[in-house]
Amino acid sequence: MATQKPTKFDQVDWDNLTGSGRFKISINMKLLLVTGVPVLLLGLYDHFLVGDREATFVRLGEDLGLSSQFEALGLDFNPTSVDILFVFTIFLFLWYLVLPLYQNMRMTKYYWKEFKRNRPAVISLIWLTIIFVGGVLGPFFVAMPEQDLFAAYQPPVFGSIDQVHVNQCVGEISDGRCQGTWEYPLGTTRGGQDVLAMVIHGMTVTMQIAFITTMIVAAIGITFGTVSAYAGGWVDEIMMRFVDIVLSFPTLLFFLLILYIYGAGLGMFILVFGLFGWGATARYVRSKALSVSEEEFVKATKISGAGTYRIVRRHVVPNTASSIITQLTLIIPGFLLAEAQLAFLGIGDTAVPTWGQAISSGRNAIDFAPWIVLVPGMALFLTILAFNFLGDAILDALNPEAEAESEK
Amino acid sequence: MAIEHDAAETIFDENDVVTTDDVPLLEVEGLTTSFKTEAGRLVAVDDIDFTVDSGETVCIVGESGSGKTVATESVTQLIKQPPGTIGGTVRFKGQDLMDLTEKQLRSIRGNEIAHIFQNPQEAMNHCYTVGWQITEAIQIHEDVSKKVARARGVDLLDRVGIDNASARFDDYPHEFSGGQKQRIMIAMALVGNPDLLLADEPTTALDVTVQAQILRLLNDLQEEFGMGILFVTHDLGVVAEIADRVIVMYSGKIMESADVFEIFERPAHPYTQALMKCLPERGGDQRGGIPGRLPNPTNPPDGCRFAARCEHATEDCEVGEQPPQIEIAPDHHVSCIYYGEGYDSSVVRDAELEAANAPETEANR
Amino acid sequence: MPRRISSKGNHASGINRREWLGMLGVGSTMALAGCLGGDDDDDDGDGDDDGEDAPEAGADEPDPLDLSQDPPEVSGEYHATQASSFDTINPIYNTEAGAGTAIGYALDQGYTFDFDNEVVPLLFEDIYTEDEGETWVIEFRDNLEFSDPYGQYTAEDYVYYVQEIHQSDTFPSANSPDWAGVEIEQTGELEAVATPPNPNIIWPETFAPLEYPIPKELLEPYVDAEDSEGLQQDEELLDLSFNGNLGPYNLEEWIRDGGTQYSRNDEYYLRDLADEYPMFGEAPYFETAQIEIIEEESSRIAAIETGETDNVPLPPDRGEQFIEDEDTMVVLEPTPFNTILSVNMRDNGWTAGPGNLFRVKEFRQALAAAIDKFEYIEGIANGFADPHYTWQPEFSEWFPGTDDLTLWGNPEEGVYGEEARDLVEEALDQIDEDYSYDGDVLVGPDDNQVELEIYYNAASDTQELAVDFYNNQLEQNIGITLDTNAIDGTTFSENYWSADPEGGTDTIDGEEVEWDAPTPNNPGPRSVTPDEEWDMATIFGLNTYPRNPLTNDVFFEGPNSSYNPVGYYPEFDAEGIIQNMRNAGTRDELRDAAAELFANLNEEQPYIMISFGDDIEAYNPAVRGPVPEFSNGWDFPAWHKDE
Amino acid sequence: MGLARYVAARTIWAALVSFIIVTVTFLLLALAPNPSISQAATQAALEGGDPATAVEQQEQLRGLDQPLYVRYMDFVQGVYTLEWGWSQNRAQPVTEALWQGIYYTAQYSIPWTILTLIIGPLVGLYSAANMYSWKDHLATGFAFFGWAIPNFFFGIILLVIFGVWLQWFPIQYDTSVPVFSLANAHQLFLPVFVLVTGSIGAVMRVSRNESAEFQNADFMKTAKAKGVSPTRAYAYHVMRPTMVPLSTTIVSQLLVIFLGSSLLIEIVFGIPGLGRVTFDALINQDTNLVLGATLLFTFIAVIGNLIEDLVFTIMDPRISFDDR
């Protein structure tokens, strides 16, 4: 009685899509090399050659003898290594996730049709797109929130605050209450920083955490999972026991300890979460890889004499990709939440404008200036919600019968 | 034997208005079951009539999706409502089941009217022992102690041919083979000493030898308990083995109904003939099945539902309603315009089939 | 162990050095903002006329208790709230202010100071010197009883405790340095004589003689067994059950992380002073007392709002709200802790280029002049602080008065803005390196703007605001920018603030100077540096020792000072002045010497001095006793609630 | 028989994992600077004493003056003899410190866990039974809300609204209230509510999806045909099989929340429980207590996982121990 579904995305033989032949490099790879390698080189350059104090692009301009041109273009950024990694991850995302959707239009359309029916998921996608675009482009248009001690605790537009809490009211004062203005549409913090600007800069960090951590988790998890699945025997056993141990760590406690000892910058946070967060993914990938390798077409390839690496690389990974993506989408909220929790506990770099930091910084003023907590808090809440809805929707779209939770 | 009790029947008897012999055990009239779906209203069973008498076995045959399962499940309203809606009358021992409350219905289900299903694997809850499930069936209808219920359950298991029944009573379903599971399902159906057994493709999931055993068991039980059986199958071979009367369904409509001999000897409806041609041992030329597809159930075509796939279809076949049931022989009804006035019925008769079937069917019986 | 004088609240008044030092730990140096008592000219910060409706700092100024009145009714509970929990309440090992308060509810010490900074004897009948501080006589009251079986508290217990614990090598105790070189001798059942290593006319003000009463019999077994671990873990010391009549309350339970609960001590010895202070006649006046730990600031504040507690310390930005709130009483208590900007004069300071401008006095003056103290006080301390010009708060009797001081960073009456720029120019003339102004920007030899690394405590909101503020001010007034770095207090202390003591010699003003007793916080000359480079920091505020200014020798004696992480070399005769202070035979002599020291420190700005913060304490208005004084709480046993 | 061997094998493995984790923690702590030692040095410096002696004394006090391997051996021995040492930052034995933490943590954790276990599956079942109706959407919406909203954020907001503004609930946790009293229930209401809201989401989602599958299973039709009432059918035939997949997620979900959120909840609501014991120990690098807490948490996690596996195995009769 099973309804006939079109060929699954899962079972597309990517060889056909990406130009067959063993030694040819796919267009995706080419694009990644063209865009990603310069970014990585820039990262190495930044790390080894550029001094702490120098702005990377200014130095680059000098080194290339193009200072004047750079200046004219306004290229004076000083990206951190996290920023550079973020750009690289975005390229990876573009060439290996977005581009395949375009290359395989028919499937995309089918899934879009399925996906569209889930209205919360569509709204979630829109929200996440806003966060993404805001996070990538926002910092170029909105300056880092500046301190202005005399504009502390300004209420959001249409809001008001008891005069005793503000040093100086930017808007009007009526009935002893300071009224909000459009100058600070979402109000200001104790330091007079614009909450709107903080939220926009928080988007960047949110996306950085989401993308980079996920990339690290995916890289380790997929490698570990597939190797384990394919090695089999005692190698598999040992690797999976290792995963058991990784998963048994009381994570928050450990993060606290490590971040406390080694400092809790954003980069450290991402690293720690990346390195400890892949256990579940590895297990998941392994089980998927095992089941895919039981599929007829993989068996056929095996019989035809293809090497293990080739099977894994060409068949197993691509064909488990969609389930892995789903699984990854569903672990992102965990990272965001963890960041916010650590920020709340005071472990974290207060100079990095994350939403968690914003919540943490405003919590003492919550009873009279609730916007400082509420605005970033709601942004965080909605983003976590959106990732969940999105993950569920992708799951449903890819496989209507699939269960929402990952199995043991 | 312990099975012979009928304590629970009293509930029904009180409601039983007419109990004269000339009333059929089950009398279905104008049964219509539809479902609300995203694509619109899906009519799975469309205005059908049939009867089942005590001790009689009626088979409903048809392709998958023809509505036969829905028809049986509509009898005791197993269909989920909503999204389903059931219309028409279903008289059981003269009492219209449609008038009963859900509670009254529950006292009939599993007691007076029992069901067995296609897939014994799935039809039992894998988390409970078979004994628990049988005991549950007993205790729902009768206020008996666990011990008594267990004794009865073991008896029943024994009766349906499970070896070492008392030891296996506490085993889980997955510890039994498919055939054994279906036996257990039958045992479970028998707990209330039912008057009517609705068997929905009970043998389809089983292999051929086991299938035969189960059919034999059902036959034996029917003789012993004198119950009526409404048996759904798509397998004409099974029909030949077990049926007294046959109802052929297609796309929610009854195409033809007749005595089992009659229908095999003189299949009147082109659809019935097409089904028979699919039987391998009958020299059928349509082993791959009947060409074409079932019509869209949410938007059935005008006229005869089968017209689109019928080699004899004319323009008249595709207008109006499904043709009326025309009695072409005693108790043999066909819904085909060729049997109506002004048509030549011989066009649709299939002499070859009739010739092939007549002696063999006889032999089989 | 804490010589807590006052016994209340979470604030720092009467706090001793060690308790305060406990605060140097992780993230606890926040909230060092505040100002002098509201009884001074409240809002001298209104200088820069920004038109802000500045808080009038109209904090409540309840009258002190009149101890000659009759005893009030005993009633209800006194419930105080603190922000952080205690490590231990073992009186021998405690170093924290909060725990000091908790112990103080159950155990009194020798004496305390009243609002006039006069010694008020408690367990001691008297403490006096008859030979200009050469020897000090301590007399004990004779109505002091430990719980059974320990009997009366006598000079024997006191001397035994000092000699066998603090002066012994076996038992690491925080008080040992105080007793190093002190000879103590029991001269009668209730009398002991102490001889400090140098004559000291204000020995009681050093808090050194303050010890909690500990029964000799309790200590003996541990002393005999040399079991310091056992002493730390002794149950009686941890539940203070030996307190007898020696404290106003009996400790019922210490719930770790939760706080302490007390019941009234019906036999409190201070009642016998009813002749002198009638109000102590029935003391104390609460049936029960409780110190509750609430770590979350908003919950802590909510507790006073909803009336669940009688006392909560407030952050500066909440002060105004509660001052206006009729249902709370806000009392501003001056503290001896300053808000400073430390600048690294060691070789690993000044990372902006060659040289180290911090070593030039004029440059430090320029920094002090470039930061508008009043804007800091208004904007960050919300008005609850006073400007800090020299190493002593204004309430101190040793404060030399502002007439002879240069008022750095005071736009109205002092040196600020343009003048700061002039000072930098002066400083630039004194160095060889090629720093100069390019327009309003100070550029280094590499033609880049001077950018300095500033570190602040990641756990402190106030410091986070402050560093941004400093950055704005310095950029605006002297054309340098700051790169702000949040850091954990411990990490900073470990890697930036201290180094392995190496010692060594350096030539200062043509004189060879030797570091013969290096410490981690003064590990040697400027060439001896901690592991990590840093330029500026706001992590630590320091005590200015307003009761005993002599103690400040730890900071400013150059090579001999034990605490000099920034590598400061005095350009005046600090050693000479300090020696004069030590030799002073009278308070007046001491005052003159101190004035000289503080005038010089004002010029030198060894640390860039910003402000003195107030502790802002919110009370249940029914509580009688709290007053906006440094010594607030010395009369805690007489505190009570109005019906 | 199979069960015994299985449990034994799992327990040994659990012990091994705990041991590895605690060793890693030990090493991390050994590498970290200890604030109390630098504090002692600073203090001595300010008092004019000898900082080096102070450091030595402090190290001796904390047992840090011995070589690493000796400390490690002592530590390992202590683990097995249940002598987990003295907590410097709480001035009590580690076991007692942990026990006190558990005492307060249990007071809200037990009600929270029980409520989650009861409400979660019920709401899921209810939602599945009314799939795609507004009731389902409401329940799912609630679950998603609770799941996505950061617990501490929710806690703060509730505390402000119901504690500060409406004053329905006390702000501060009162340790002197008897455990089984109305006042205790009153003050624990908000934390329990926040945690239940947070944990119910995951449980509810799984049970909704699973029971959605089971409520359409053939055996449900069988049950109905047997005359089983819908309530009984859901209670027995849907609930029971749902428990199987649910058991695999529920324990880990509860553990995640227990290990993660309870600390924040304790900080927000001022409960002196295990989370805060651990956090304070970490911040103050109270080595013994951190190790003890890590050991305890690991133990809880490992036991939790063991229980999860056992429950799963017991719940699903189709799985035998020999297969695992």
Side-chain angles (χ1 to χ4, degrees), chain D residues 141-154:
Chain D
F142 174 71
F144 261 95
F145 170 83
W147 202 77
I149 197 160
N151 272 331
F152 66 92
F153 172 63
F154 195 37

Side-chain angles (χ1 to χ4, degrees), chain A residues 9-288:
Chain A
F9 194 29
D10 292 50
Q11 286 168 359
V12 175
D13 190 338
W14 286 30
D15 269 358
N16 298 332
L17 288 175
T18 51
S20 50
R22 281 174 194 226
F23 303 105
K24 267 195 196 160
I25 301 175
S26 71
I27 180 77
N28 310 58
M29 191 47 146
K30 277 181 201 156
L31 284 168
L32 184 68
L33 288 176
V34 169
T35 55
V37 168
V39 173
L40 286 184
L41 286 177
L42 183 69
L44 293 174
Y45 172 78
D46 183 49
H47 190 260
F48 290 109
L49 294 176
V50 182
D52 280 354
R53 300 287 170 70
E54 286 172 296
T56 311
F57 274 87
V58 173
R59 168 74 189 265
L60 187 67
E62 282 166 18
D63 284 2
L64 298 177
L66 297 171
S67 284
S68 53
Q69 287 92 327
F70 269 43
E71 225 163 273
L73 289 170
L75 283 175
D76 56 353
F77 310 124
N78 186 19
T80 62
S81 27
V82 171
D83 293 331
I84 289 171
L85 209 54
F86 182 44
V87 175
F88 178 76
T89 319
I90 290 176
F91 283 130
L92 206 65
F93 172 74
L94 281 180
W95 309 138
Y96 277 90
L97 251 162
V98 180
L99 189 62
L101 287 178
Y102 173 77
Q103 288 165 326
N104 197 8
M105 215 46 185
R106 198 175 63 85
M107 281 303 130
T108 310
K109 276 188 179 143
Y110 168 74
Y111 286 123
W112 177 243
K113 209 183 93 207
E114 289 288 307
F115 181 84
K116 224 168 41 180
R117 299 198 339 222
N118 190 336
R119 193 164 314 147
V122 175
I123 296 169
S124 299
L125 190 65
I126 295 171
W127 171 258
L128 291 178
T129 311
I130 293 172
I131 302 284
F132 179 74
V133 174
V136 173
L137 302 180
F140 293 102
F141 297 103
V142 181
M144 272 289 255
E146 283 281 321
Q147 188 193 47
D148 179 359
L149 289 177
F150 292 108
Y153 292 138
Q154 297 300 314
V157 64
F158 305 130
S160 68
I161 183 173
D162 193 316
Q163 211 184 323
V164 296
H165 297 295
V166 291
N167 241 322
Q168 198 177 11
C169 182
V170 175
E172 287 175 15
I173 296 176
S174 61
D175 297 337
R177 296 186 71 80
C178 174
Q179 307 295 318
T181 59
W182 280 105
E183 194 178 341
Y184 303 108
L186 296 179
T188 63
T189 65
R190 187 183 171 195
Q193 283 134 322
D194 184 11
V195 172
L196 179 66
M198 284 175 74
V199 168
I200 290 173
H201 281 264
M203 291 176 182
T204 311
V205 187
T206 301
M207 283 295 138
Q208 285 175 340
I209 293 172
F211 273 85
I212 304 175
T213 316
T214 310
M215 184 187 75
I216 298 175
V217 165
I220 304 179
I222 291 172
T223 313
F224 211 89
T226 45
V227 167
S228 181
Y230 269 80
W234 61 269
V235 177
D236 181 30
E237 184 69 23
I238 288 175
M239 288 176 92
M240 280 303 115
R241 289 302 112 185
F242 184 68
V243 170
D244 274 357
I245 295 173
V246 170
L247 282 173
S248 298
F249 274 81
T251 20
L252 191 72
L253 202 73
F254 246 72
F255 295 160
L256 280 174
L257 192 58
I258 293 173
L259 295 175
Y260 183 73
I261 296 171
Y262 296 103
L266 183 63
M268 194 55 159
F269 175 87
I270 288 175
L271 198 68
V272 168
F273 270 66
L275 292 181
F276 278 88
W278 53 269
T281 308
R283 259 192 194 174
Y284 185 79
V285 170
R286 176 178 168 272
S287 72
K288 280 285 157 189

Side-chain angles (χ1 to χ4, degrees), chain D residues 185-227:
Chain D
H186 188 217
Q187 68 177 350
L188 288 175
F189 181 85
L190 284 181
V192 168
F193 179 76
V194 169
L195 284 167
V196 168
T197 331
S199 58
I200 239 176
V203 175
M204 181 266 174
R205 271 170 82 196
V206 175
S207 55
R208 175 179 175 271
N209 292 342
E210 293 296 334
S211 48
E213 199 175 304
F214 291 121
Q215 71 174 347
N216 292 323
D218 282 359
F219 58 71
M220 275 297 276
K221 216 190 276 173
T222 309
K224 197 172 180 187
K226 285 198 295 196

Side-chain angles (χ1 to χ4, degrees), chain C residues 18 21 25 86-88 172 174 232-233 238 254-257 292 294 299 308 494 519-521 554 562-563, chain D residues 35 38-39 42-43 45-47 51 57 61 86 88-92 164 167 171-173 175 268 276 280:
Chain C
R18 270 171 228 112
L21 276 164
F86 330 128
D87 282 358
T88 182
Q232 269 191 95
Q233 303 179 3
L238 285 171
W254 169 30
I255 297 159
R256 272 74 167 175
D257 284 346
E292 170 130 8
I294 305 182
S299 303
E308 287 177 44
E494 285 287 322
T519 73
N521 294 114
V554 295
S562 52
Y563 196 86
Chain D
S38 60
Q39 234 174 64
T42 311
Q43 195 166 297
L46 272 180
E47 310 244 336
Q57 284 173 335
L61 264 182
W86 180 262
Q88 282 294 340
N89 290 91
R90 291 170 65 89
Q92 61 186 163
V164 181
Q167 306 208 357
I171 303 294
Q172 50 180 345
Y173 181 81
T175 45
V268 170
R276 262 179 59 198
D280 291 345

